[in-house]
Every structure is written in C-alpha cells, then in structure tokens.
Amino acid sequence: MRTLNHPTKEDISLSAVLYALSDNYRLEIVRRLAEQGELTCSGLALPAAKSTLSHHFKVLREAGLIYSRTEGRECYNSLRQQDLQERFPGLLAAVLESAEPL
Amino acid sequence: MRTLNHPTKEDISLSAVLYALSDNYRLEIVRRLAEQGELTCSGLALPAAKSTLSHHFKVLREAGLIYSRTEGRECYNSLRQQDLQERFPGLLAAVLESAEPL
C-alpha cells in the first residue's frame, strides 16, 4: 500500500483550497464525492486520461480537499468535509451550492 | 476616461471567481474593499509594483469580482458584492470570513 501525503487540518490553506476548486474538472470530482461519499478513481467515471485524473486528484489531495488511499490497484477518495467545515466554515457548502454538474 | 470591460452578472463564472480569490494578494484587495468600500488603487496602499497591482486588479475585474473606473489619473475600485451574492449566494461571505489579513 502506497502512502500518500495529506496536509493536517491546521495546514490547509484557503488559497490552496480556492485554487484547487477553480478548475471545473476538479470541482466536478468534489461535487460527486460530496453527493456519493467515498469513490474509487474508476468509480468516478470521468472522461479523462488516467494521468490527467491523477494530476487533479493530487492537486485536491495536497490542498487538503480530499483524502486518498490506495488498496491493491485501486484508489479510494473521500471529501474532507469535516476538516474543511472546521477550517473554513460554510465555504465548501457555498461552493457546492453554486457548482453546476459538468 | 478609459473604458474598462467587466463581465455582466450572468457571465460571472464560479471557476474564474475562485481562481481570482486563490491568490493571497488579490484576496487582501477584496478583503479591504469589503471592509472599506470604494478605494483608489493608491488608497489601497499595498506594497507592490504598480504593474503587479494592475495585473491583480485586471484578474479581479475580469473575473467579475470588482468594478473599476478611471477618473483622470486615478482608478477607483469597488467590490461587486450584490452581483456576487445573487450569482453565488454565501460564497464571498464565507471566503471573507476565513480570510486573514495579509
């Protein structure tokens, strides 16, 4: 099992979160995770090359928006909703409220 | 008086707004405008080169976050708070709530 780095809750920065959300593709990933809970990379069924998806997941993970873990050949992703709510109250909810499906 | 282009309220995009806010310097400009209302570029008294400031104002203006007008040699900037609230309810308030002074 590969270990992935995630920032601690305290280290999540507002600018990194806003930047990560400023891409329609990443916003769609966040929207689906908010709706459906933990999803595998393939379960997200997004029409993009694996390397493109990996890049987006990395940006989201390093910004502190998602928690990723790998198990065998599959990766699992979930939204760090509670950490984000504690760090930036109301922010993710407001973004998701305005986000339209891709 | 130079004419500057601003997106209409309907054309303000969520990703452009989030991107514009993802820079600490631009976030500080938005924070000050929210606190103090319309301000001239020099009135913002930010420690940056004029060209750097101009770039940040342009990004904010083109994203639909601020309204800029020039009068003589001075430029005036104000936050499009009502447009933003109507377009993305609660978003700007949540960002400002979490933004720390630079």
Side-chain angles (χ1 to χ4, degrees):
Chain A
M1 183 170 161
R2 190 155 55 95
T3 305
L4 297 166
N5 290 325
H6 297 83
T8 63
K9 184 178 78 182
E10 292 68 28
D11 283 339
I12 299 177
S13 95
L14 181 59
S15 56
V17 164
L18 294 172
Y19 175 76
L21 292 170
S22 73
D23 175 274
N24 285 332
Y25 219 88
R26 290 195 291 269
L27 190 52
E28 176 66 13
I29 294 174
V30 167
R31 215 185 55 73
R32 292 192 190 188
L33 292 175
E35 243 178 42
Q36 301 172 51
E38 190 179 59
L39 286 171
T40 60
C41 294
S42 53
L44 276 157
L46 287 165
K50 204 178 163 188
S51 59
T52 308
L53 273 180
S54 290
H55 167 72
H56 288 316
F57 282 120
K58 186 170 185 274
V59 174
L60 289 168
R61 186 172 66 243
E62 292 183 349
L65 275 155
I66 65 171
Y67 179 76
S68 306
R69 63 188 179 88
T70 56
E71 224 179 280
R73 297 173 72 101
E74 195 53 275
C75 63
Y76 294 82
N77 303 282
S78 54
L79 203 50
R80 295 177 65 177
Q81 245 162 334
Q82 194 177 337
D83 285 346
L84 291 160
Q85 175 58 21
E86 287 173 22
R87 194 85 179 82
F88 312 121
L91 177 64
L92 188 63
V95 171
L96 289 172
E97 179 74 25
S98 289
E100 285 169 18
L102 197 63
Chain B
M1 183 170 161
R2 190 155 56 94
T3 306
L4 297 167
N5 290 323
H6 297 83
T8 62
K9 183 178 77 182
E10 291 69 29
D11 283 339
I12 299 177
S13 95
L14 180 60
S15 56
V17 164
L18 294 172
Y19 175 75
L21 292 171
S22 73
D23 175 275
N24 285 332
Y25 219 87
R26 291 194 291 270
L27 189 53
E28 176 65 13
I29 294 174
V30 167
R31 214 187 55 75
R32 292 193 190 188
L33 292 174
E35 242 178 42
Q36 301 173 49
E38 192 180 58
L39 286 171
T40 60
C41 295
S42 53
L44 276 157
L46 288 164
K50 206 178 162 187
S51 59
T52 308
L53 272 180
S54 291
H55 167 72
H56 288 316
F57 282 121
K58 186 170 185 273
V59 174
L60 289 169
R61 186 171 66 244
E62 292 183 349
L65 275 156
I66 65 170
Y67 179 76
S68 306
R69 62 189 179 88
T70 56
E71 225 181 279
R73 299 174 73 100
E74 193 54 274
C75 64
Y76 294 82
N77 304 282
S78 54
L79 203 51
R80 295 176 66 178
Q81 244 163 333
Q82 194 177 337
D83 285 347
L84 291 161
Q85 175 58 20
E86 286 172 23
R87 196 86 177 80
F88 312 121
L91 176 63
L92 188 62
V95 172
L96 289 172
E97 178 75 26
S98 289
E100 284 169 19
L102 199 61

